[in-house]
Amino acid sequence: MKQKKLDPIRFLALIMLILNVYNIHSFKTEAVQRTEEHLVNMMKTDLKIFEDWLFDYVDNVDLIKSQLNQLTLSEVNYTVTENKHLAYNFSSEFVHETYIGFLDGQFTSNTNWIPSEGYDPRERSWFKDALEKNRTLISNIYVDQISNHSVIAISTPLYVQDKLVGVLSTDLYLEDLTTKLLTNRSSDNFESLAINDQGIILANTSAPSQINKKIDDLFMILFDSARENPGYNTEIIDDRDLYVYYFSDKLNCFLSAKVDLSLYTNRFSFWVHSQTIVNLLFWILFMGVLFYIHILNERIIETTTSLEEKNTSLKVINTQLETANNLLAYRAIHDGLTGLHNRFAFDDLLDELISKGFQEQKYVGLILFDVDDFKVYNDVYGHVQGDAALSLLANEIAHFCDQALMVARYGGEEFAIIYYDQDIETLESISKGLLEHIRSLKIPHKLSDYGYISISGGVNAVIPDLTTSRGMFIHQADTALYRAKAKGKNQFARTY
């Protein structure tokens, strides 16, 4: 018997030992993981800043494009060089050329460069790609004829007076891209690069000589992975190099950053002796306490089990009773079909307000109305459809009159809305708005004079005195309702 009692303790001892070993292993990697997470966040931030910087040029090109669209073609193409409409400040530390190639082969720019004889912008890749894809994009790398540097162009189809006239473009030098990546790094140990959608390196902080060359197999794998997995991706290669990379849909290019983890932490350390000792002492103490608790628990379990079972049964019964009581209380004052308050709740509140209004000398208001020709509606469409129509109307009335003290189903197709401290002019305005709202629903009623369900009602508001009674007050509103019916329905009448 003692052996059986000790079995759970031995089992827990084994569990605690496993947890202890796991805890030691977790502790030894915790610092490494925190370092990796910190480095990943830093590199993400660097890449995001670079992406935003580059995308700012795209936004600015689109801004110039929208401004040029307001001009005439002669204004845009008024000069070949130093075009004032293209002299836009990109708020950058780098100098850029902005230019337009027209559909007829003409060319204008913000510089003093004059195209050589035979130069045709329509043969340039930036011109062809922008027209072919019909959007703002970053072109493939080409050699700028002004500076003889390798550049990319941010190009977009240009419209003047909403008519396509050519391509607007601005240049970015590849060395400027690399310079921006270098100055943007949070750490000198980070290596960053940018690759266009053709797999050509646009910028590389670790190997500038690789710019304008095809990426190698490793980056081709990461490139393909980034296309398939949107957002930031992280990967550790050779248990040392940590990569953060993603494909920017905005720029249609691949951005990546790398860091050598060995510069920051020793990933191969395993035993942290001080932590091992602390863990062992903790679990030994824990096991002693656990064994003592186990002895005490054995003595208590038998006496508490039966009480717990009884308490559980009582809780279930109490919950059922509480649910039943709540349901009965709700049904006592609510209409089962529409969910609105019922006649009993209406009568109680009206009695209370008449007394209160007499004491405070404030108005008690009532809007009483019913659905026109509803008996005919039920005869034609059936009672199921009739109930559905009443439920829909009740929901619309409750939402429209959400400032009322109560919206009630008075009986059958008749509804009542109670207001307090509102004079009859205000209630008359509310009733007109409600009437228009119900008309706007246009619930079909083919035997109605109007072709859709309508309502008619009476509006009453009084400051109660000693002679005011609920029955009289309702009768006055009901009399106004019948006057509205007599006048042709689909309207409200106020009491005299």
Side-chain angles (χ1 to χ4, degrees), residues 173-190:
Y173 295 173
L174 294 190
E175 54 261 37
D176 288 346
L177 294 180
T178 300
T179 300
K180 186 63 180 178
L181 279 174
L182 283 168
T183 57
N184 193 51
R185 293 183 304 175
S186 301
S187 169
D188 291 340
N189 296 322
F190 293 168

mmCIF file with all atom_site columns, all heavy atoms in Angstrom, residues 173-190:
data_model
loop_
_atom_site.group_PDB
_atom_site.id
_atom_site.type_symbol
_atom_site.label_atom_id
_atom_site.label_alt_id
_atom_site.label_comp_id
_atom_site.label_asym_id
_atom_site.label_entity_id
_atom_site.label_seq_id
_atom_site.pdbx_PDB_ins_code
_atom_site.Cartn_x
_atom_site.Cartn_y
_atom_site.Cartn_z
_atom_site.occupancy
_atom_site.B_iso_or_equiv
_atom_site.pdbx_formal_charge
_atom_site.auth_seq_id
_atom_site.auth_comp_id
_atom_site.auth_asym_id
_atom_site.auth_atom_id
_atom_site.pdbx_PDB_model_num
ATOM 1   N N   . TYR A 1 173 ? 21.130 56.843 -58.876 1.00 0.00 ? 173 TYR A N   1
ATOM 2   C CA  . TYR A 1 173 ? 22.400 56.166 -59.109 1.00 0.00 ? 173 TYR A CA  1
ATOM 3   C C   . TYR A 1 173 ? 22.517 54.962 -58.196 1.00 0.00 ? 173 TYR A C   1
ATOM 4   O O   . TYR A 1 173 ? 22.172 55.025 -57.015 1.00 0.00 ? 173 TYR A O   1
ATOM 5   C CB  . TYR A 1 173 ? 23.573 57.116 -58.845 1.00 0.00 ? 173 TYR A CB  1
ATOM 6   C CG  . TYR A 1 173 ? 23.662 58.293 -59.791 1.00 0.00 ? 173 TYR A CG  1
ATOM 7   C CD1 . TYR A 1 173 ? 24.582 59.308 -59.584 1.00 0.00 ? 173 TYR A CD1 1
ATOM 8   C CD2 . TYR A 1 173 ? 22.816 58.382 -60.904 1.00 0.00 ? 173 TYR A CD2 1
ATOM 9   C CE1 . TYR A 1 173 ? 24.670 60.396 -60.451 1.00 0.00 ? 173 TYR A CE1 1
ATOM 10  C CE2 . TYR A 1 173 ? 22.892 59.457 -61.772 1.00 0.00 ? 173 TYR A CE2 1
ATOM 11  C CZ  . TYR A 1 173 ? 23.811 60.464 -61.548 1.00 0.00 ? 173 TYR A CZ  1
ATOM 12  O OH  . TYR A 1 173 ? 23.882 61.520 -62.395 1.00 0.00 ? 173 TYR A OH  1
ATOM 13  N N   . LEU A 1 174 ? 23.060 53.867 -58.735 1.00 0.00 ? 174 LEU A N   1
ATOM 14  C CA  . LEU A 1 174 ? 23.209 52.663 -57.931 1.00 0.00 ? 174 LEU A CA  1
ATOM 15  C C   . LEU A 1 174 ? 24.128 52.897 -56.744 1.00 0.00 ? 174 LEU A C   1
ATOM 16  O O   . LEU A 1 174 ? 23.912 52.363 -55.652 1.00 0.00 ? 174 LEU A O   1
ATOM 17  C CB  . LEU A 1 174 ? 23.733 51.506 -58.793 1.00 0.00 ? 174 LEU A CB  1
ATOM 18  C CG  . LEU A 1 174 ? 22.796 51.016 -59.896 1.00 0.00 ? 174 LEU A CG  1
ATOM 19  C CD1 . LEU A 1 174 ? 23.327 49.725 -60.491 1.00 0.00 ? 174 LEU A CD1 1
ATOM 20  C CD2 . LEU A 1 174 ? 21.402 50.798 -59.378 1.00 0.00 ? 174 LEU A CD2 1
ATOM 21  N N   . GLU A 1 175 ? 25.179 53.707 -56.940 1.00 0.00 ? 175 GLU A N   1
ATOM 22  C CA  . GLU A 1 175 ? 26.073 53.976 -55.815 1.00 0.00 ? 175 GLU A CA  1
ATOM 23  C C   . GLU A 1 175 ? 25.366 54.753 -54.714 1.00 0.00 ? 175 GLU A C   1
ATOM 24  O O   . GLU A 1 175 ? 25.690 54.621 -53.529 1.00 0.00 ? 175 GLU A O   1
ATOM 25  C CB  . GLU A 1 175 ? 27.335 54.724 -56.268 1.00 0.00 ? 175 GLU A CB  1
ATOM 26  C CG  . GLU A 1 175 ? 27.054 55.999 -57.050 1.00 0.00 ? 175 GLU A CG  1
ATOM 27  C CD  . GLU A 1 175 ? 27.166 55.784 -58.541 1.00 0.00 ? 175 GLU A CD  1
ATOM 28  O OE1 . GLU A 1 175 ? 26.768 54.687 -59.022 1.00 0.00 ? 175 GLU A OE1 1
ATOM 29  O OE2 . GLU A 1 175 ? 27.670 56.678 -59.236 1.00 0.00 ? 175 GLU A OE2 1
ATOM 30  N N   . ASP A 1 176 ? 24.339 55.552 -55.099 1.00 0.00 ? 176 ASP A N   1
ATOM 31  C CA  . ASP A 1 176 ? 23.555 56.259 -54.084 1.00 0.00 ? 176 ASP A CA  1
ATOM 32  C C   . ASP A 1 176 ? 22.711 55.292 -53.264 1.00 0.00 ? 176 ASP A C   1
ATOM 33  O O   . ASP A 1 176 ? 22.526 55.479 -52.058 1.00 0.00 ? 176 ASP A O   1
ATOM 34  C CB  . ASP A 1 176 ? 22.652 57.297 -54.744 1.00 0.00 ? 176 ASP A CB  1
ATOM 35  C CG  . ASP A 1 176 ? 23.441 58.491 -55.280 1.00 0.00 ? 176 ASP A CG  1
ATOM 36  O OD1 . ASP A 1 176 ? 24.617 58.611 -54.905 1.00 0.00 ? 176 ASP A OD1 1
ATOM 37  O OD2 . ASP A 1 176 ? 22.871 59.286 -56.052 1.00 0.00 ? 176 ASP A OD2 1
ATOM 38  N N   . LEU A 1 177 ? 22.190 54.245 -53.928 1.00 0.00 ? 177 LEU A N   1
ATOM 39  C CA  . LEU A 1 177 ? 21.417 53.238 -53.196 1.00 0.00 ? 177 LEU A CA  1
ATOM 40  C C   . LEU A 1 177 ? 22.290 52.553 -52.153 1.00 0.00 ? 177 LEU A C   1
ATOM 41  O O   . LEU A 1 177 ? 21.887 52.371 -50.999 1.00 0.00 ? 177 LEU A O   1
ATOM 42  C CB  . LEU A 1 177 ? 20.845 52.191 -54.162 1.00 0.00 ? 177 LEU A CB  1
ATOM 43  C CG  . LEU A 1 177 ? 19.796 52.660 -55.165 1.00 0.00 ? 177 LEU A CG  1
ATOM 44  C CD1 . LEU A 1 177 ? 19.354 51.492 -56.030 1.00 0.00 ? 177 LEU A CD1 1
ATOM 45  C CD2 . LEU A 1 177 ? 18.606 53.273 -54.461 1.00 0.00 ? 177 LEU A CD2 1
ATOM 46  N N   . THR A 1 178 ? 23.498 52.175 -52.561 1.00 0.00 ? 178 THR A N   1
ATOM 47  C CA  . THR A 1 178 ? 24.413 51.523 -51.619 1.00 0.00 ? 178 THR A CA  1
ATOM 48  C C   . THR A 1 178 ? 24.814 52.482 -50.506 1.00 0.00 ? 178 THR A C   1
ATOM 49  O O   . THR A 1 178 ? 24.882 52.095 -49.328 1.00 0.00 ? 178 THR A O   1
ATOM 50  C CB  . THR A 1 178 ? 25.661 51.014 -52.361 1.00 0.00 ? 178 THR A CB  1
ATOM 51  O OG1 . THR A 1 178 ? 25.256 50.066 -53.357 1.00 0.00 ? 178 THR A OG1 1
ATOM 52  C CG2 . THR A 1 178 ? 26.631 50.340 -51.394 1.00 0.00 ? 178 THR A CG2 1
ATOM 53  N N   . THR A 1 179 ? 25.075 53.736 -50.857 1.00 0.00 ? 179 THR A N   1
ATOM 54  C CA  . THR A 1 179 ? 25.419 54.735 -49.842 1.00 0.00 ? 179 THR A CA  1
ATOM 55  C C   . THR A 1 179 ? 24.300 54.878 -48.822 1.00 0.00 ? 179 THR A C   1
ATOM 56  O O   . THR A 1 179 ? 24.546 54.954 -47.611 1.00 0.00 ? 179 THR A O   1
ATOM 57  C CB  . THR A 1 179 ? 25.701 56.093 -50.507 1.00 0.00 ? 179 THR A CB  1
ATOM 58  O OG1 . THR A 1 179 ? 26.792 55.955 -51.408 1.00 0.00 ? 179 THR A OG1 1
ATOM 59  C CG2 . THR A 1 179 ? 26.029 57.143 -49.467 1.00 0.00 ? 179 THR A CG2 1
ATOM 60  N N   . LYS A 1 180 ? 23.046 54.888 -49.301 1.00 0.00 ? 180 LYS A N   1
ATOM 61  C CA  . LYS A 1 180 ? 21.917 55.015 -48.381 1.00 0.00 ? 180 LYS A CA  1
ATOM 62  C C   . LYS A 1 180 ? 21.835 53.818 -47.455 1.00 0.00 ? 180 LYS A C   1
ATOM 63  O O   . LYS A 1 180 ? 21.595 53.956 -46.250 1.00 0.00 ? 180 LYS A O   1
ATOM 64  C CB  . LYS A 1 180 ? 20.616 55.162 -49.180 1.00 0.00 ? 180 LYS A CB  1
ATOM 65  C CG  . LYS A 1 180 ? 19.393 55.452 -48.307 1.00 0.00 ? 180 LYS A CG  1
ATOM 66  C CD  . LYS A 1 180 ? 19.538 56.770 -47.586 1.00 0.00 ? 180 LYS A CD  1
ATOM 67  C CE  . LYS A 1 180 ? 18.324 57.062 -46.704 1.00 0.00 ? 180 LYS A CE  1
ATOM 68  N NZ  . LYS A 1 180 ? 18.480 58.318 -45.953 1.00 0.00 ? 180 LYS A NZ  1
ATOM 69  N N   . LEU A 1 181 ? 22.055 52.611 -47.992 1.00 0.00 ? 181 LEU A N   1
ATOM 70  C CA  . LEU A 1 181 ? 22.052 51.423 -47.143 1.00 0.00 ? 181 LEU A CA  1
ATOM 71  C C   . LEU A 1 181 ? 23.150 51.477 -46.099 1.00 0.00 ? 181 LEU A C   1
ATOM 72  O O   . LEU A 1 181 ? 22.965 51.077 -44.948 1.00 0.00 ? 181 LEU A O   1
ATOM 73  C CB  . LEU A 1 181 ? 22.202 50.157 -48.001 1.00 0.00 ? 181 LEU A CB  1
ATOM 74  C CG  . LEU A 1 181 ? 20.940 49.632 -48.678 1.00 0.00 ? 181 LEU A CG  1
ATOM 75  C CD1 . LEU A 1 181 ? 21.285 48.466 -49.603 1.00 0.00 ? 181 LEU A CD1 1
ATOM 76  C CD2 . LEU A 1 181 ? 19.922 49.183 -47.643 1.00 0.00 ? 181 LEU A CD2 1
ATOM 77  N N   . LEU A 1 182 ? 24.339 51.971 -46.504 1.00 0.00 ? 182 LEU A N   1
ATOM 78  C CA  . LEU A 1 182 ? 25.470 52.049 -45.571 1.00 0.00 ? 182 LEU A CA  1
ATOM 79  C C   . LEU A 1 182 ? 25.184 53.040 -44.448 1.00 0.00 ? 182 LEU A C   1
ATOM 80  O O   . LEU A 1 182 ? 25.406 52.748 -43.271 1.00 0.00 ? 182 LEU A O   1
ATOM 81  C CB  . LEU A 1 182 ? 26.746 52.453 -46.321 1.00 0.00 ? 182 LEU A CB  1
ATOM 82  C CG  . LEU A 1 182 ? 27.426 51.359 -47.148 1.00 0.00 ? 182 LEU A CG  1
ATOM 83  C CD1 . LEU A 1 182 ? 28.475 51.948 -48.060 1.00 0.00 ? 182 LEU A CD1 1
ATOM 84  C CD2 . LEU A 1 182 ? 28.045 50.311 -46.223 1.00 0.00 ? 182 LEU A CD2 1
ATOM 85  N N   . THR A 1 183 ? 24.707 54.223 -44.794 1.00 0.00 ? 183 THR A N   1
ATOM 86  C CA  . THR A 1 183 ? 24.474 55.246 -43.771 1.00 0.00 ? 183 THR A CA  1
ATOM 87  C C   . THR A 1 183 ? 23.252 54.926 -42.922 1.00 0.00 ? 183 THR A C   1
ATOM 88  O O   . THR A 1 183 ? 23.101 55.464 -41.833 1.00 0.00 ? 183 THR A O   1
ATOM 89  C CB  . THR A 1 183 ? 24.272 56.619 -44.425 1.00 0.00 ? 183 THR A CB  1
ATOM 90  O OG1 . THR A 1 183 ? 23.180 56.540 -45.360 1.00 0.00 ? 183 THR A OG1 1
ATOM 91  C CG2 . THR A 1 183 ? 25.525 57.049 -45.163 1.00 0.00 ? 183 THR A CG2 1
ATOM 92  N N   . ASN A 1 184 ? 22.415 54.037 -43.409 1.00 0.00 ? 184 ASN A N   1
ATOM 93  C CA  . ASN A 1 184 ? 21.175 53.727 -42.714 1.00 0.00 ? 184 ASN A CA  1
ATOM 94  C C   . ASN A 1 184 ? 21.331 52.589 -41.708 1.00 0.00 ? 184 ASN A C   1
ATOM 95  O O   . ASN A 1 184 ? 20.443 52.321 -40.919 1.00 0.00 ? 184 ASN A O   1
ATOM 96  C CB  . ASN A 1 184 ? 20.101 53.360 -43.754 1.00 0.00 ? 184 ASN A CB  1
ATOM 97  C CG  . ASN A 1 184 ? 18.713 53.332 -43.161 1.00 0.00 ? 184 ASN A CG  1
ATOM 98  O OD1 . ASN A 1 184 ? 18.318 54.274 -42.509 1.00 0.00 ? 184 ASN A OD1 1
ATOM 99  N ND2 . ASN A 1 184 ? 18.004 52.254 -43.364 1.00 0.00 ? 184 ASN A ND2 1
ATOM 100 N N   . ARG A 1 185 ? 22.498 51.911 -41.729 1.00 0.00 ? 185 ARG A N   1
ATOM 101 C CA  . ARG A 1 185 ? 22.667 50.722 -40.886 1.00 0.00 ? 185 ARG A CA  1
ATOM 102 C C   . ARG A 1 185 ? 22.713 51.084 -39.408 1.00 0.00 ? 185 ARG A C   1
ATOM 103 O O   . ARG A 1 185 ? 23.354 52.053 -39.010 1.00 0.00 ? 185 ARG A O   1
ATOM 104 C CB  . ARG A 1 185 ? 23.960 49.987 -41.257 1.00 0.00 ? 185 ARG A CB  1
ATOM 105 C CG  . ARG A 1 185 ? 23.932 49.364 -42.633 1.00 0.00 ? 185 ARG A CG  1
ATOM 106 C CD  . ARG A 1 185 ? 25.211 48.599 -42.902 1.00 0.00 ? 185 ARG A CD  1
ATOM 107 N NE  . ARG A 1 185 ? 26.403 49.457 -42.746 1.00 0.00 ? 185 ARG A NE  1
ATOM 108 C CZ  . ARG A 1 185 ? 27.642 49.008 -42.837 1.00 0.00 ? 185 ARG A CZ  1
ATOM 109 N NH1 . ARG A 1 185 ? 27.873 47.728 -43.049 1.00 0.00 ? 185 ARG A NH1 1
ATOM 110 N NH2 . ARG A 1 185 ? 28.652 49.844 -42.706 1.00 0.00 ? 185 ARG A NH2 1
ATOM 111 N N   . SER A 1 186 ? 22.051 50.272 -38.587 1.00 0.00 ? 186 SER A N   1
ATOM 112 C CA  . SER A 1 186 ? 22.113 50.463 -37.140 1.00 0.00 ? 186 SER A CA  1
ATOM 113 C C   . SER A 1 186 ? 23.421 49.938 -36.570 1.00 0.00 ? 186 SER A C   1
ATOM 114 O O   . SER A 1 186 ? 23.797 50.292 -35.455 1.00 0.00 ? 186 SER A O   1
ATOM 115 C CB  . SER A 1 186 ? 20.940 49.745 -36.463 1.00 0.00 ? 186 SER A CB  1
ATOM 116 O OG  . SER A 1 186 ? 19.708 50.230 -36.933 1.00 0.00 ? 186 SER A OG  1
ATOM 117 N N   . SER A 1 187 ? 24.109 49.074 -37.313 1.00 0.00 ? 187 SER A N   1
ATOM 118 C CA  . SER A 1 187 ? 25.384 48.517 -36.868 1.00 0.00 ? 187 SER A CA  1
ATOM 119 C C   . SER A 1 187 ? 26.297 48.330 -38.069 1.00 0.00 ? 187 SER A C   1
ATOM 120 O O   . SER A 1 187 ? 25.837 47.960 -39.164 1.00 0.00 ? 187 SER A O   1
ATOM 121 C CB  . SER A 1 187 ? 25.163 47.171 -36.161 1.00 0.00 ? 187 SER A CB  1
ATOM 122 O OG  . SER A 1 187 ? 26.386 46.506 -35.945 1.00 0.00 ? 187 SER A OG  1
ATOM 123 N N   . ASP A 1 188 ? 27.595 48.563 -37.853 1.00 0.00 ? 188 ASP A N   1
ATOM 124 C CA  . ASP A 1 188 ? 28.554 48.358 -38.940 1.00 0.00 ? 188 ASP A CA  1
ATOM 125 C C   . ASP A 1 188 ? 28.688 46.887 -39.309 1.00 0.00 ? 188 ASP A C   1
ATOM 126 O O   . ASP A 1 188 ? 29.256 46.557 -40.357 1.00 0.00 ? 188 ASP A O   1
ATOM 127 C CB  . ASP A 1 188 ? 29.929 48.905 -38.526 1.00 0.00 ? 188 ASP A CB  1
ATOM 128 C CG  . ASP A 1 188 ? 29.923 50.427 -38.420 1.00 0.00 ? 188 ASP A CG  1
ATOM 129 O OD1 . ASP A 1 188 ? 29.018 51.047 -39.025 1.00 0.00 ? 188 ASP A OD1 1
ATOM 130 O OD2 . ASP A 1 188 ? 30.798 50.980 -37.729 1.00 0.00 ? 188 ASP A OD2 1
ATOM 131 N N   . ASN A 1 189 ? 28.187 45.996 -38.460 1.00 0.00 ? 189 ASN A N   1
ATOM 132 C CA  . ASN A 1 189 ? 28.288 44.563 -38.734 1.00 0.00 ? 189 ASN A CA  1
ATOM 133 C C   . ASN A 1 189 ? 27.179 44.064 -39.658 1.00 0.00 ? 189 ASN A C   1
ATOM 134 O O   . ASN A 1 189 ? 27.193 42.914 -40.070 1.00 0.00 ? 189 ASN A O   1
ATOM 135 C CB  . ASN A 1 189 ? 28.234 43.768 -37.415 1.00 0.00 ? 189 ASN A CB  1
ATOM 136 C CG  . ASN A 1 189 ? 29.418 44.077 -36.518 1.00 0.00 ? 189 ASN A CG  1
ATOM 137 O OD1 . ASN A 1 189 ? 30.541 44.253 -36.995 1.00 0.00 ? 189 ASN A OD1 1
ATOM 138 N ND2 . ASN A 1 189 ? 29.178 44.146 -35.218 1.00 0.00 ? 189 ASN A ND2 1
ATOM 139 N N   . PHE A 1 190 ? 26.196 44.907 -39.943 1.00 0.00 ? 190 PHE A N   1
ATOM 140 C CA  . PHE A 1 190 ? 25.108 44.507 -40.827 1.00 0.00 ? 190 PHE A CA  1
ATOM 141 C C   . PHE A 1 190 ? 25.542 44.624 -42.282 1.00 0.00 ? 190 PHE A C   1
ATOM 142 O O   . PHE A 1 190 ? 26.226 45.566 -42.672 1.00 0.00 ? 190 PHE A O   1
ATOM 143 C CB  . PHE A 1 190 ? 23.878 45.386 -40.615 1.00 0.00 ? 190 PHE A CB  1
ATOM 144 C CG  . PHE A 1 190 ? 23.217 45.216 -39.273 1.00 0.00 ? 190 PHE A CG  1
ATOM 145 C CD1 . PHE A 1 190 ? 22.243 46.106 -38.842 1.00 0.00 ? 190 PHE A CD1 1
ATOM 146 C CD2 . PHE A 1 190 ? 23.567 44.166 -38.448 1.00 0.00 ? 190 PHE A CD2 1
ATOM 147 C CE1 . PHE A 1 190 ? 21.640 45.960 -37.607 1.00 0.00 ? 190 PHE A CE1 1
ATOM 148 C CE2 . PHE A 1 190 ? 22.969 44.001 -37.211 1.00 0.00 ? 190 PHE A CE2 1
ATOM 149 C CZ  . PHE A 1 190 ? 22.020 44.902 -36.789 1.00 0.00 ? 190 PHE A CZ  1
#
